[in-house]
Amino acid sequence: MGGLYEYIKMAVQNIRANKGRSFLTMLGIIIGIASVIAIVSIGEGTKNQMNSEIDGIGAGKIAISVSSNAMTEDEWITPEDVQEVRKLDDVEGVSVSNSYDGETVTGKGTFSIMLTGEGPDAKMINNSEMKYGNYFGEQEIEEGKNVCVISDSDAKRLFGTDDVVGMSLDITCYDSSKSFRIIGVTTQKENGTFVSYTYDGMPVTVNIPYSSMDDLVVGSDEFYSITVQADKTQDSQGIADQIVHLLEKRHQCAGEDYFQVESFQDIMKSMNEMLGMVTTFISFVAGISLLVGGIGVMNIMLVSVTERTREIGIRKSLGAKTASIMLQFLAEAAILTVIGGLIGILLGVLAAYGICTVMSNSMGMATSPGISPTVVLAATLFSCAVGVFFGIYPARKAAKLSPIEALRRN
């Protein structure tokens, strides 16, 4: 143990004696470790932020759609199906959504619109926040009232102001026209990862009760898909299976795969896998600098062996063992990489916080780095492994020098 301490002490003295060279040797390790730590931390923080927002927006949501086989057999989801699904345990709401292209004319000009017929639970399913007025509900749908809800940004495009409750929109769709009274204006959330953007020429979205579309579009009382809000504390897959079983029973099509399921948990899983693959790839590219840094360590240790040939010869002539000489140079290589690794970890953490702060300020999203103790530990161990691996050859070369040959060299 005392011998190892002496080796470490000698290695530290040699590093201090060549500060500039030692720092340049560590630079590759520092850059590599810092890059990997920063990239992984930013990627993990972004993933956590996305998961948090998706969980807030889409937790418990299940999309049920009809397959191409069902459409061929003219089997669609009906309003009666929707009412039965709403009665299931752990189902908090069901929204339908049929969309058609149309247009409207206001004092600001002619606008293309996306006319969307929705069900009574649309406000809850869409996570809509009302700025003015109210969303339509079950009563408006049962009575087929000609009312609509638009966003504040679309209201400004149509009328130049977002306080438009009580105004009317004359909508033309498939050569049929109908007037809808605006009863509510929603507001967009602008402080998250998922932000809604509008641009000139983008269709205006107008949400109306699906029952009020009959005069405009034939067959609008049958649906291609529905969105179910399930209890967030329950298993979404189990609830989805219940819904599919109910629909298959009502349409007498068990085993024919007429209904397809997609939950937001599946979407979240796919997004996490994709983001994880991107982070891994970028980390791998950044990690190449570790290889370059390791080669730098090997190079400088070879130079050190050449410079200290006479010292090695004297020590071996005085009885130093081959293993002792090898351990001395391995200790020096390991200390160089450990110090570089620790500096790299510190800089990587600082860089991750700095970049996340810039992202938060510039993109309006509160992102903090996901610093993983496992990643930090792995980076530390990897930096040690790099030092030992790339220090073996110079250490063996030094240890195998003949004492007489080493003493002859200048």
Side-chain angles (χ1 to χ4, degrees), residues 96-114:
V96 302
S97 181
N98 280 349
S99 297
Y100 303 94
D101 296 327
E103 68 174 22
T104 187
V105 179
T106 68
K108 292 288 185 177
T110 301
F111 296 87
S112 297
I113 66 168
M114 179 66 70

Side-chain angles (χ1 to χ4, degrees), residues 25-263:
T25 303
M26 292 186 293
L27 196 57
I29 302 295
I30 292 172
I31 293 173
I33 294 292
S35 300
V36 172
I37 292 289
I39 291 170
V40 172
S41 299
I42 293 169
E44 192 67 24
T46 303
K47 183 171 71 174
N48 292 340
Q49 175 69 15
M50 291 174 60
N51 287 343
S52 176
E53 293 198 14
I54 291 177
D55 189 58
I57 296 172
K61 285 188 173 62
I62 305 168
I64 310 289
S65 60
V66 297
S67 65
S68 56
N69 291 336
M71 288 187 278
T72 301
E73 297 297 325
D74 200 28
E75 291 289 346
W76 301 81
I77 299 173
T78 65
E80 291 74 23
D81 293 334
V82 173
Q83 292 302 323
E84 291 302 314
V85 171
R86 292 179 76 193
K87 295 177 183 178
L88 289 175
D89 294 337
D90 300 322
V91 171
E92 298 177 353
V94 182
S95 177
V96 302
S97 181
N98 280 349
S99 297
Y100 303 94
D101 296 327
E103 68 174 22
T104 187
V105 179
T106 68
K108 292 288 185 177
T110 301
F111 296 87
S112 297
I113 66 168
M114 179 66 70
L115 189 64
T116 302
E118 297 183 324
D121 301 318
K123 182 178 183 295
M124 176 181 63
I125 301 292
N126 297 338
N127 292 304
S128 298
E129 291 187 2
M130 303 308 300
K131 189 170 186 178
Y132 301 106
N134 298 291
Y135 221 99
F136 51 81
E138 197 160 358
Q139 181 179 349
E140 286 82 4
I141 292 174
E142 289 178 355
E143 297 176 2
K145 289 188 174 181
N146 298 331
V147 294
C148 67
V149 174
I150 60 176
S151 69
D152 53 357
S153 57
D154 285 336
K156 291 177 181 177
R157 292 173 60 197
L158 292 170
F159 300 102
T161 177
D162 55 11
D163 190 4
V164 295
V165 172
M167 295 185 183
S168 295
L169 276 176
D170 295 324
I171 295 174
T172 301
C173 186
Y174 297 111
D175 297 325
S176 298
S177 296
K178 205 170 188 180
S179 180
F180 291 86
R181 181 171 59 87
I182 301 172
I183 62 170
V185 177
T186 61
T187 184
Q188 302 289 347
K189 296 180 180 179
E190 301 293 342
N191 58 344
T193 306
F194 305 97
V195 181
S196 297
Y197 296 98
T198 58
Y199 56 87
D200 291 339
M202 181 178 179
V204 172
T205 299
V206 180
N207 301 320
I208 65 173
Y210 71 82
S211 55
S212 64
M213 296 185 70
D214 292 344
D215 296 338
L216 291 174
V217 182
V218 177
S220 58
D221 58 344
E222 293 182 326
F223 314 114
Y224 165 77
S225 67
I226 60 175
T227 302
V228 177
Q229 177 63 63
D231 187 340
K232 297 178 182 180
T233 63
Q234 302 300 318
D235 177 30
S236 295
Q237 186 59 51
I239 299 172
D241 292 340
Q242 291 182 46
I243 296 170
V244 170
H245 178 72
L246 172 64
L247 293 174
E248 288 180 341
K249 181 178 179 180
R250 289 181 56 82
H251 290 263
Q252 298 181 359
C253 60
E256 298 182 35
D257 295 327
Y258 276 6
F259 301 100
Q260 301 171 335
V261 177
E262 184 176 42
S263 69

Side-chain angles (χ1 to χ4, degrees), residues 315-366:
R315 290 189 62 199
K316 294 198 74 172
S317 65
L318 293 174
K321 296 180 180 179
T322 299
S324 299
I325 301 296
M326 188 171 179
L327 278 175
Q328 178 188 345
F329 281 88
L330 274 179
E332 189 170 327
I335 290 172
L336 276 173
T337 50
V338 168
I339 295 174
L342 294 175
I343 296 173
I345 290 170
L346 177 62
L347 293 179
V349 171
L350 293 176
Y353 274 102
I355 294 172
C356 285
T357 300
V358 172
M359 290 172 58
S360 298
N361 293 334
S362 62
M363 301 177 63
M365 52 183 254

